[in-house]
Amino acid sequence: MAPSALYLVAPQYLRTLFWGLRVYCRALHRHREGRTMAARASELPPGRSVTAGIIIVGDEILKGHTQDTNTYFLCRTLRSLGVKVCRVSVVPDEVATIAAEITSFSSRFTHVLTAGGIGPTHDDVTFEAVAQAFGEELKPHPELQAAIKALGGEGWEKLSLVPSSARLHYGTDPQTGHPFRFPLISVRNVYLFPGIPELLRRVLEGMKDLFQNTAVRFHSKELYVAAAESSIAPILAEAQAHFGRRLCLGSYPDWGNNYYQVKLTLDSEEEEPLEECLTYLTSRLPQGSLVPYMPSAVEQASMAVYKLAESAIFNHLMPSSLPAWQGLLWENR
């Protein structure tokens, strides 16, 4: 008897059991497919949300010896690529601790980016931790051995010992326009970045294609309010409830600014909710409390001047006006 016919003649409780097994098998199949697809953003179907978890590795961060700037850069860059950063963790230079965090993150997020713990010294243990997380062995990689030899780096042999399933990504060095001489290493959906901020920024700039999510573009707007945060809190709560999941409203007091007291951030995957929320807040916040403010105004003004100096109009007018400028300068000496 065919399975479909058996299903029709089976008692009701068996039908329920068969139906439950089918649902479970389909869910398990989808879960396995999702784990495979998580390794490469380029394989993601259109419209899927792409997430990331960041693991910062280093005793020096936890002890306060070094200020962490990598988190800020990674979060801003990934968001500009359409990737939602869901979690950031800082862990010590301990193999078991790093491995446990990688195991947790890799099953929950599309991408996992680690920063730090890659180098020639005893406390550089990220490769070992990744191998442990995925039950793999550390093996010398011929391509990495050749790259280290070409760079003439004695004492760097440890960097050629990577998990057995490691993949190499060369990308394009933004400083030279050529492929990187030493690759970024990944294992499954975990990408292992150097902890040195200058190197990390350079590598991520050259590897953006690995993480680009063209299906999503985040939009944001900043507002500045000259009023106490406590006085506008009920209005902000009402606004967030009104727009729900369409928009995220953040409130950040600034006690050291004499021009405004609260910075509001509006974030959404669409532009329309931002404009609607701006209208909503303008009509409800205390009259005159929304103030125009330009962060880094001096820096932006300098950029505008340089841009003007490079423009065709300026270059066309400058020769004819030069005598007048010289005269003014001479008179005011």
Side-chain angles (χ1 to χ4, degrees), residues 95-320:
V95 173
T97 304
I98 302 169
E101 205 74 335
I102 287 171
T103 301
S104 172
F105 276 40
S106 65
S107 63
R108 295 156 61 195
F109 309 123
T110 313
H111 305 299
V112 180
L113 290 78
T114 71
I118 299 175
T121 60
H122 66 283
D123 56 352
D124 292 314
V125 295
T126 299
F127 287 170
E128 184 181 350
V130 174
Q132 185 178 111
F134 295 123
E136 299 183 9
E137 295 180 2
L138 285 179
K139 293 184 177 181
H141 197 295
E143 232 176 288
L144 295 176
Q145 289 176 322
I148 292 170
K149 186 176 180 180
L151 292 170
E154 292 186 8
W156 290 85
E157 292 79 8
K158 185 176 180 179
L159 269 71
S160 68
L161 295 172
V162 294
S164 54
S165 68
R167 291 178 293 155
L168 311 184
H169 310 271
Y170 285 90
T172 302
D173 187 339
Q175 291 188 7
T176 66
H178 301 294
F180 285 105
R181 298 176 67 186
F182 196 87
L184 173 70
I185 296 162
S186 71
V187 180
R188 303 193 191 184
N189 64 333
V190 181
Y191 297 83
L192 313 175
F193 283 83
I196 301 172
E198 293 79 5
L199 285 178
L200 181 143
R201 293 170 190 169
R202 190 170 163 186
V203 172
L204 184 55
E205 287 290 337
M207 303 283 180
K208 284 183 176 180
D209 289 347
L210 290 173
F211 308 102
Q212 182 75 61
N213 177 25
T214 57
V216 173
R217 182 183 174 189
F218 295 108
H219 302 272
S220 63
K221 184 183 290 291
E222 295 180 349
L223 306 176
Y224 298 89
V225 185
E229 187 180 39
S230 58
S231 68
I232 63 173
I235 300 171
L236 302 182
E238 292 171 5
Q240 184 63 80
H242 177 78
F243 289 96
R245 297 175 64 87
R246 295 178 63 209
L247 176 142
C248 181
L249 174 60
S251 174
Y252 309 97
D254 189 336
W255 290 4
N257 196 295
N258 58 6
Y259 189 67
Y260 70 89
Q261 293 176 259
V262 183
K263 180 177 79 170
L264 303 178
T265 60
L266 315 180
D267 289 287
S268 176
E269 293 184 15
E270 302 173 359
E271 287 188 281
E272 186 178 354
L274 299 185
E275 298 303 323
E276 291 178 6
C277 188
L278 175 60
T279 302
Y280 183 96
L281 291 173
T282 301
S283 65
R284 287 165 174 79
L285 288 171
Q287 188 173 3
S289 63
L290 278 175
V291 295
Y293 181 76
M294 181 183 293
S296 306
V298 175
E299 180 182 342
Q300 293 190 45
S302 300
M303 292 174 63
V305 170
Y306 283 118
K307 187 175 181 180
L308 175 62
E310 294 172 355
S311 67
I313 296 175
F314 185 85
N315 291 329
H316 174 72
L317 296 175
M318 187 62 186
S320 60

Side-chain angles (χ1 to χ4, degrees), residues 72-104:
Y72 175 78
F73 176 78
L74 288 170
C75 289
R76 284 186 67 89
T77 303
L78 289 171
R79 190 167 182 80
S80 73
L81 298 174
V83 179
K84 180 181 179 181
V85 177
C86 298
R87 187 67 59 88
V88 177
S89 175
V90 183
V91 295
D93 297 313
E94 299 172 0
V95 173
T97 304
I98 302 169
E101 205 74 335
I102 287 171
T103 301
S104 172

Side-chain angles (χ1 to χ4, degrees), residues 30-89:
R30 286 196 297 268
H31 174 72
R32 287 175 176 171
E33 283 186 338
R35 288 289 299 275
T36 302
M37 293 169 66
R40 291 179 295 274
S42 59
E43 296 180 4
L44 294 170
R48 173 170 172 173
S49 175
V50 178
T51 60
I54 297 170
I55 302 174
I56 305 296
V57 180
D59 289 345
E60 67 276 17
I61 304 297
L62 293 171
K63 294 176 180 178
H65 296 330
T66 302
Q67 184 176 2
D68 171 32
T69 59
N70 288 331
T71 297
Y72 175 78
F73 176 78
L74 288 170
C75 289
R76 284 186 67 89
T77 303
L78 289 171
R79 190 167 182 80
S80 73
L81 298 174
V83 179
K84 180 181 179 181
V85 177
C86 298
R87 187 67 59 88
V88 177
S89 175

